[in-house]
Amino acid sequence: MSSAAVPASPLSPSSLPAVTILCRRIRVRGLVQGVGYRPFVYRLAFELGLAGWVRNDAEGVDIEARGAAPLVERFVARLRAEAPELARVEAVEVREAAPERGLPGFLIVESRGGQGTSTRIGPDSALCHDCLVDLFTPGNRRQGYAFTHCTHCGPRYSITRELPYDRARTSLAPFAQCPACLAEYTDPRDRRFHAEANCCPACGPQLALLGADGTPLADGIDDPVAGAVRLLRAGGIVAIKGYGGFHLACDARNPAAVAELRRRKHREEKPFAVMVANVASAAAVADLSGPLGAEAAGLLELPERSVVLLRKGAGTDSALPGVAPGLAWIGAMLPYAPLHYLLFHAAAGRPAGLDWLGAAQSLVLVMTSANPHGEPLVTGNAEAVQRLAGIADAFLLHDRDIVIRSDDSVIRLDGGGVQFVRRGRGQTPRPIKLKDDGPTVLAFGGYLKNTVCVMKGREAILSQHVGDLDSPSTVAFLEETVDHLLHVLDATPDRVAHDRHPDFPSTRLAQAFAAARGIPALAVGHHHAHIAAVLAESGTPADHPVLGLALDGVGLGDDGGLWGGELLEVSGAGCTRLAGLTPLLLPGGDKAAREPWRLAASALYRLGRGNEIAAFVARRYPGQEKVEGAAVIARMLGQGVNCPPTSSLGRLFDAAAGLLGLRAVQRFEAQAAMELEGRADRQRRQAGHAAAPLAGGWRIDAADATGALDFAPLLAALADWPVEAGEREGALDAAADLFHATVAAGLADWAAQAAKARGLGSVALGGGCCLNALLVADLRAHLNNHGLAVLEARQAPPNDGGLALGQAWAVRHHIHD
Amino acid sequence: MTHGAGGRASAQLIAELFAPAFDNPALRRGDDGAVLCELAGLPLGARLVMATDAHVVSPLFFPGGDIGALAVHGTVNDVAVMGAEPRWLSASFILEEGFPFAELKCIVDSMAAAARSAGVHIVTGDTKVVEQGKGDGVFISTTGVGVRRPGVELSGANARVGDSVFVSGPVGDHGVAILSCREELAFDSPIVSDSAALHGLIADLLAAVPQVRVLRDPTRGGLATTLNEIAAQSGVGIALDESAIPVRPAVAAACEFLGLDPLYAACEGRVIVIAPAEADALVLAALRAHPQGREAARIGSIIEDPHHFVQMTTAFGGTRIVDWLTGEQLPRIC
Ligand SMILES: [Fe+3]
Ligand SMILES: [Mg+2]
Ligand SMILES: [Zn+2]
Ligand SMILES: [Zn+2]
């Protein structure tokens, strides 16, 4: 990096009367590079008239400050109190030192890199307020320019090839800065000082609007943004290049456009996220009332710009038909790239001034990750045209390359705080802080919603969402992510961690990676990893055992069984299974996870009512073709043909949905469970309170307080629930409420008894079912009533997106060399 | 069958059952082994090919076949996919004490008929009886020897990038037929095993298309497993088109119910063919000209892939990995 010398200010110590002159060396740790921290230090020193220097090095930022004692003290105090917007200061350490350079004035000096640099890049960040003003100020040289950024905002992770983070190693490298931009870039007082993405219309990337065949659209040559808006307004589907990948966009208020996008993407019912111009526009399509609504609005506005799951309002479904059918929530995000703001501005008729930014806008865009069915996000321009052929009518893109994919992050509020459903853009590579140091571990995660994790020093860096590893391109993306992450973190793993499942591509890659480097690869039980992830992020000491409630779909347990509703005792030293839910059979293996009616049949079989299966299915699913083979399923259950047992709680939810006749087939993962949650939520809001748990709705089998938890009585109640008679919707809502209340009470009872028997004081909750806010709220309350502390996933997703974190933690602490 | 049948009982079994059923000059000599006398007639440069297979199947009798015919077909096919003409078989029986003679007779007759129609002689054999409960009725192990003509060079390691992949007929019939019969799962249309000897089809194919590089019979583990083996052996990837892979509707429907993937279900009368793409028309014509290959299809091609994945373009236009499983299809949806 270049150094910038600035003349001593008028308040330079040499011109003052004799006072005590101090020299202090100050070490600042945290995310303090690439975020405008050195210019911030420079301005502060300049303001206070201090001499000295600032530089980046392997540990963060190193400062020498010399001057009158009160001024130096004020300088230190302000370093502790203030920081640039995107910086995350973890420590400001001050010591006395002899001056290292005796020059007058204050300097930004050459970075000291060297080997072992832990220099970090920040996550991608939404346009800052100052840049927004530039973007919409007439006469500003960046007015209307889609690549307006400064050190406080813009893409970082997604444009960085390698470290140290400077322009030559980003996808801005091909764009030489013009004199005006270079002047900003080299002026420590400018907010674009060393803003690596700095550029302007004269020297930077340009937008283009291409048709489905990849050639420029006549309608977009002069004004690609206006052309794209016209297409969207006319019901077209436009692929829009964002920070970490393309989105497919259409007008969310246009049911034909939404239906067409579903048809082209082969996406039947899975909800789409929407982008709205601002909070006022979000309030028009979701329920932002009350304190929770206000909190959710705050989440929307964070610079991370995650997709936030919002409670639907009364008019949501009629305003946005087909966008998130059948669910109680809708995912929404605000614009993050200048291009998004330009689209909303054009749609609003390009009003003057900035007032429109706060006013509700009519345009609501579906913004869904642009990927052909099940494959990773599209990032390259030519790739977009080729892979989105037949899906997008047009492409709004530009010539700034995306170096590494990042899908949108998805978060929700669950009453206990913010929870990640998916961690991606805006979060990666922000580290999760750990309590302990230890060997460097690379964890490869699981199978669905996969992420990888690098655990190094006192930090764990979870990769962006990689996806389901069922396609070769996602596996390739997994490898790419591992390479990129190790590269930008400069990490050399000592050990490798993976799931127990022998056939996950992640397991095989992990083993190959370890073999090639001669380091150990260790398998971690799926649910052990889920709980360990919570222990890692909560800073639980490795020698402190806790009770783990793994509430999940199916994963391979330490005994090779299909676990998913487990009571575990977990510490750094390992994991002991105390008990599991009484198993249900999975008729057809994974097929049963997609078809809740099969689990209804399985539940009946479990209740000793296998002979009722055919009649029951005919009654609950009248006229449905899928279920014609109920007799075959009954036979499969009886004979044990491809009917593996599982103790999964997720499958218990499927069984409940199946027994109530909610749906025979799930169109996307956890659809049935989400519908149950939505129904229970509606019931509770209408009634003003939750149902009481079903009396005797569960049994704990053994007398030693760590027996299997059996919800057979609850399943029996649902099997006989009067759904056909009377008001169906109300009956289903009430059943869903009772189911949630009873499951939570049963789990809490089970955990409390085990905690008492084992002398444990806290319970960690992990697994995909923890995304069920009602279940977790009930469980938390019950456990607290039992005097138990509850640990939850807050920084990593509780589902398989957080698995790698737990794997890394378990392997780091489990093995003692 | 009596346990510990002595020399006399054993001889009686041979004389009354095996000898008349498998009758041929070598067997008639009654020696401990067979002298493969026809060897003298081998053409110059020809090679002998030997393959062996142990057959265990439950139930012993199933729609489309029985363990006897299967024991012939399995080994004949293993010899044939090496590019050789199968000539001689050995047969070893492991019988469970108390196994009904009448059933054994059916099996042996079926075996004899299968051998006759395949043009192979069962020239030597053995019988052992195990205690009741220590066997599953009958196990049959067969070894086959055949003659490969000069110039024929087939191996799972021969697939090259750009080659085409074919299958001679619908996949999964045998595996699903066995399962639904064993578990007494009644499906709307009955599913019949494809068990058959393929040497005739293969001889016709090799005569018409000498460029063929790989032949394999997708038995245990089905098409998916066999293609993964080939991909690993040849150091290539394989790209399949789901819509091109022939699967009988009844098999697809049964698999749908059972939660099984027909690509992993065993075939006993199908052959995978890999040949240079320029021979596509010749391969299809040769296969389809034979009654056993009428439903043959080109299902994909060999691609470059450092992972050696077998991948498949699905009906949705997505691409999924067709895994090489460690064991059973373990559930993985979390
Ligand atoms: Fe899981
Ligand atoms: Mg074989
Ligand atoms: Zn900015
Ligand atoms: Zn410029």
Side-chain angles (χ1 to χ4, degrees), chain A residues 266 375 447 470-471 479 502-503 508 526 552 554 588 590-591 598 626 629 635 639 641-642 651 669 800, chain B residues 183-186 256-260 307 311 316 318-321 323-326 330-334:
Chain A
H266 301 286
E375 292 183 21
Y447 183 64
D470 55 356
S471 81
E479 292 184 290
D503 293 329
R508 293 183 183 165
H526 190 94
D552 204 27
V554 162
D590 272 341
K591 196 91 193 164
R598 288 176 184 253
K626 272 273 180 198
R635 181 101 202 147
Q639 304 275 110
V641 183
N642 200 21
R651 296 302 98 83
E669 199 198 333
D800 287 6
Chain B
E183 308 296 351
E184 298 170 56
L185 301 167
E256 176 84 13
F257 251 107
L258 296 165
L260 298 174
H307 291 112
Q311 53 177 281
F316 286 144
T319 307
R320 77 168 171 90
I321 297 170
D323 256 326
W324 197 353
L325 301 178
T326 306
L330 285 173
R332 51 176 75 185
I333 293 185
C334 187

Side-chain angles (χ1 to χ4, degrees), chain A residues 128 131 149-150 153 191:
Chain A
C128 74
C131 286
H149 297 298
C150 71
C153 71
R191 76 172 206 278

Side-chain angles (χ1 to χ4, degrees), chain A residues 127-131 148-154 191-192:
Chain A
L127 195 62
C128 74
H129 182 263
D130 289 343
C131 286
T148 303
H149 297 298
C150 71
T151 44
H152 305 307
C153 71
R191 76 172 206 278
R192 293 187 168 87

Side-chain angles (χ1 to χ4, degrees), chain A residues 449 499 526-527 530 551-555 766-768 798-801 803, chain B residues 333-334:
Chain A
K449 305 177 284 285
D499 195 86
H526 190 94
H527 300 99
H530 272 311
L551 311 175
D552 204 27
V554 162
N799 61 23
D800 287 6
L803 214 49
Chain B
I333 293 185
C334 187

Side-chain angles (χ1 to χ4, degrees), chain A residues 323-402:
Chain A
V323 171
L327 296 183
W329 301 271
I330 183 164
M333 68 176 147
L334 300 191
Y336 61 84
L339 177 57
H340 302 143
Y341 281 102
L342 294 173
L343 283 165
F344 283 102
H345 189 232
R350 293 193 167 143
L354 297 172
D355 288 351
W356 70 276
L357 283 167
Q361 301 297 328
S362 69
L363 180 68
V364 178
L365 291 174
V366 164
M367 286 290 254
T368 183
S369 299
N371 48 352
H373 197 83
E375 292 183 21
L377 202 55
V378 170
T379 55
N381 291 348
E383 180 200 1
V385 171
Q386 186 221 324
R387 286 178 59 203
L388 300 176
I391 303 179
D393 296 314
F395 298 85
L396 182 57
L397 44 68
H398 53 74
D399 48 354
R400 185 182 70 200
D401 288 344
I402 295 167

Side-chain angles (χ1 to χ4, degrees), chain A residues 198-276:
Chain A
N198 188 39
C199 59
C200 75
C203 65
Q206 300 297 331
L207 285 178
L209 183 66
L210 309 182
D213 61 353
T215 60
L217 275 184
D219 189 36
I221 286 181
D222 294 336
D223 191 341
V225 170
V229 168
R230 276 191 290 274
L231 266 167
L232 290 165
R233 288 288 199 202
I237 294 165
V238 181
I240 300 173
K241 194 171 181 178
Y243 285 173
F246 280 77
H247 285 105
L248 284 167
C250 74
D251 181 352
R253 294 185 189 275
N254 181 336
V258 173
E260 182 61 15
L261 179 56
R262 288 201 176 281
R263 193 187 65 76
R264 293 188 194 171
K265 261 199 102 180
H266 301 286
R267 180 153 157 156
E268 296 166 295
E269 293 172 20
K270 191 175 177 184
F272 285 133
V274 295
M275 183 179 275
V276 289

